[in-house]
């Protein structure tokens, strides 16, 4: 049973918790609009030049839509049965070969190899795939809003930051150090 | 997880100091964090001083406030969300002061019927301990029964972080309409000490990259403990 009158997500609750919590509750549209309205009023009061084209006494209530969207409706879902991380070893005209590590089983070593059709990639990923690219491959059940359930597979290239010059230099130094230690042994 | 969720999402929350107005889909695209396709499917809800909210298709929702950055996805692989946050604050905005990170897992699932859900509620929060009030909670008529609205448990003894905790909340699901739904939220919370706060976003993004997959696995394991109650009541 949900307490309909509980003060969840009110303006003051959110104000009090903003500074400390990392719980992923999105603030309500009412809260956002209140923030904007407060900001707007403060600027009017202090004569900010950012609002000087708005006539005094503007009706804040009329600015925002009456009917607010529902951000949390039940949507289609994808339930993951198995997930792998892979890196691309080679690419041919129609397929690519990759080494895979099982993420679901928390396996750190790429102990499997597989070929994938390039057609399985989204267009954006297809244009940027190259040897060494890292990706996630998931298989699971995809459920449509109508309730239809299909077995599905999805490949997504990871979008990680480029190595910086500093990081590359450090990696080279580390590699040289390890190579030197191996030679000594 | 032993029961297939009806609704399934991951939300990353950062606490720090953010300039919300720069967080526009076009900025993410210009920094190669979102693709052109993502940009085309983006929909801005609000971008004003102090607040930014936008969606990208069905896979991403971002909300930025002066002290919080929130990114949500309901589309696996969830690591895509971690990559987006990591690239944003490790490459484009590395000097942003960030002190806290939450990796949140939200799951709504059905236990089949309302009776089973009520039994699980009573198992998690027995009504007898409320003494004479217990009878009033139960109510005289079935359609007017009360019960557990929300329960939160916290683990503070963790060996993978200096400061932080793991918190799990269980509530009836408002999304599953026939009374059979349960909502579980796991908040995996990390903080850095004040001494480390000088290096902008580096420490927090390191934690995110290192912990994300483990956090998701652990959260799903916690949620699975609640799902297992269906067979025990």
């Amino acid at each position: 049973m949900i307490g309909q009158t509980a003060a969840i997500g009110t303006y003051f609750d959110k104000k009090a918790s903003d500074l400390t919590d990392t719980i992923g509750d999105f603030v309500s549209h009412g809260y956002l609009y209140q923030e904007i309205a407060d900001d707007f009023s403060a600027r009017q009061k202090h004569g900010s030049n950012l609002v000087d084209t708005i006539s005094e006494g503007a009706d804040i209530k009329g600015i925002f839509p009456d009917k607010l969207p529902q951000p949390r409706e039940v949507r289609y879902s994808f339930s993951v049965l198995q997930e792998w991380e892979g890196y691309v070893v080679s690419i041919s005209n129609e397929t690519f070969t990759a080494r895979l590590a099982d993420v679901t089983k928390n396996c750190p070593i790429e102990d499997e190899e597989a070929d994938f059709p390039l057609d399985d990639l989204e267009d954006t990923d297809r244009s940027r795939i190259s040897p060494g690219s890292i990706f996630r491959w998931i298989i699971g059940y995809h459920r449509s809003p109508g309730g239809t359930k299909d077995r599905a597979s999805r490949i997504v290239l990871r979008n990680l930051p480029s190595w910086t010059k500093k990081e590359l230099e450090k990696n080279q130094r580390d590699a040289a150090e390890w190579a030197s230690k191996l030679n000594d042994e | 997880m032993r029961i297939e969720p009806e609704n399934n999402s991951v939300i990353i929350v950062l606490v720090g100091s953010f300039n919300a107005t720069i967080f526009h889909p076009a900025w993410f695209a210009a920094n190669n964090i979102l693709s052109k396709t993502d940009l085309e499917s983006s929909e801005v809800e609000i971008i004003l001083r102090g607040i930014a909210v936008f969606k990208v298709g069905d896979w991403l929702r971002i909300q930025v406030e002066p002290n919080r950055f929130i990114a949500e996805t309901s589309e696996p692989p969830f690591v895509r969300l971690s990559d987006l946050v990591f690239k944003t604050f490790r490459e484009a905005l590395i000097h942003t002061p960030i002190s806290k990170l939450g990796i949140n897992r939200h799951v709504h699932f059905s236990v089949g019927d309302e009776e089973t859900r009520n039994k699980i509620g009573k198992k998690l929060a027995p009504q007898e301990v409320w003494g004479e009030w217990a009878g009033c909670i139960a109510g005289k008529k079935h359609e007017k029964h009360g019960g557990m609205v929300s329960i939160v448990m916290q683990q503070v003894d963790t060996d993978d972080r200096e400061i932080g905790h793991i918190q799990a909340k269980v509530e009836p699901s408002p999304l599953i309409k026939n009374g059979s739904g349960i909502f579980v939220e796991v908040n995996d919370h990390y903080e850095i000490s004040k001494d480390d706060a000088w290096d902008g976003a580096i420490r927090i993004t390191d934690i995110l990259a290192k912990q994300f997959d483990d956090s998701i696995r652990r959260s799903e394991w916690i949620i699975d403990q609640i799902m297992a109650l269906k067979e025990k009541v």
Side-chain angles (χ1 to χ4, degrees), chain A residues 160-173, chain B residues 86-87 89-92 94-95 202:
Chain A
L160 295 163
S162 315
W163 291 100
T164 63
K165 196 180 167 192
K166 208 172 165 183
E167 286 168 331
L168 287 171
E169 284 169 0
K170 184 183 179 300
N171 291 346
Q172 277 171 347
R173 277 199 309 273
Chain B
F86 187 71
K87 196 170 165 77
F89 292 101
R90 192 50 178 258
E91 197 170 70
I94 195 166
H95 299 298
I202 292 175

Side-chain angles (χ1 to χ4, degrees), chain B residues 17 23 58-59 76 87 96 101-102 104 107-108 116 119 128 140 151 162 174 220 231:
Chain B
S17 184
F23 292 96
D58 283 327
W59 91 267
K87 196 170 165 77
T96 307
L101 160 71
N104 298 279
V107 165
H108 295 256
T116 307
K119 284 180 183 170
E128 312 84 74
K140 293 189 190 98
I151 188 166
E162 284 176 38
E220 292 182 355
E231 293 143 26

